Amino acid sequence: EKLDVKAMEKAAEYFCGEHDFSAFCGNAKMKKSTVRFIRSITVQRHGEELWLEFTGNGFLHNMVRILVGTLIEVGRGERKVESIPALFGAKREEAGYLAPGKGLCLMEVRY
C-alpha cells in the first residue's frame, strides 16, 4: 500500500529521546518503569519494502511493534504527525495497532 514515508519520518522524530512509553507497552500489568530512551528511528524504502530501524536503551513488551503500527497509521493518514507527543504517558488504547511480528529482526545487543 502507499504510505507517506516523509510523514512517518517526521513522526519518528517525536519518539526519539527519553519518554514514558506506557502507551506502547503490551503488558498492561507492567510494574517497572515504562520510561525508555530511543536514540534513533530510521524509515527507509527498499524497493517494495519499508525498513524501520530502532535504536534505544531498552524496549518494552511489544513496544517496537506498537511503534510501527502507530507510524503506519501516520503513513496512511489515519493519525496526524502532531498527535504523537500526546501519546507519551497515555493509555495503551490511544497508541497505534500492534503490527505483526513477521519481519521483525533483532540486529544487535550492546552492553
Side-chain angles (χ1 to χ4, degrees):
E1 66 185 281
K2 293 252 182 191
L3 296 172
D4 184 344
V5 175
K6 292 290 182 198
M8 293 173 72
E9 289 171 340
K10 287 179 186 174
E13 290 176 17
Y14 281 109
F15 292 121
C16 293
E18 187 174 79
H19 304 286
D20 179 355
F21 285 96
S22 55
F24 301 90
C25 182
N27 179 359
K29 297 178 182 177
M30 180 74 163
K31 294 185 180 179
K32 294 182 180 180
S33 174
T34 53
V35 174
R36 296 292 186 271
F37 179 81
I38 300 293
R39 185 172 296 112
S40 66
I41 300 174
T42 58
V43 181
Q44 298 176 330
R45 188 168 289 286
H46 291 268
E48 294 291 314
E49 296 180 341
L50 190 62
W51 292 9
L52 289 89
E53 184 174 319
F54 296 79
T55 305
N57 71 347
F59 298 96
L60 302 166
H61 181 255
N62 286 337
M63 180 175 163
V64 171
R65 292 174 59 191
I66 298 167
L67 286 167
V68 169
T70 305
L71 290 172
I72 288 173
E73 289 177 358
V74 169
R76 288 177 176 161
E78 299 168 356
R79 180 183 297 269
K80 293 184 184 273
V81 172
E82 299 79 19
S83 71
I84 300 302
L87 298 174
F88 299 125
K91 296 185 189 256
R92 168 64 194 100
E93 42 291 337
E94 296 188 40
Y97 74 97
L98 178 67
K102 182 178 180 182
L104 184 64
C105 179
L106 176 63
M107 301 296 290
E108 182 178 10
V109 176
R110 296 183 201 161
Y111 290 96

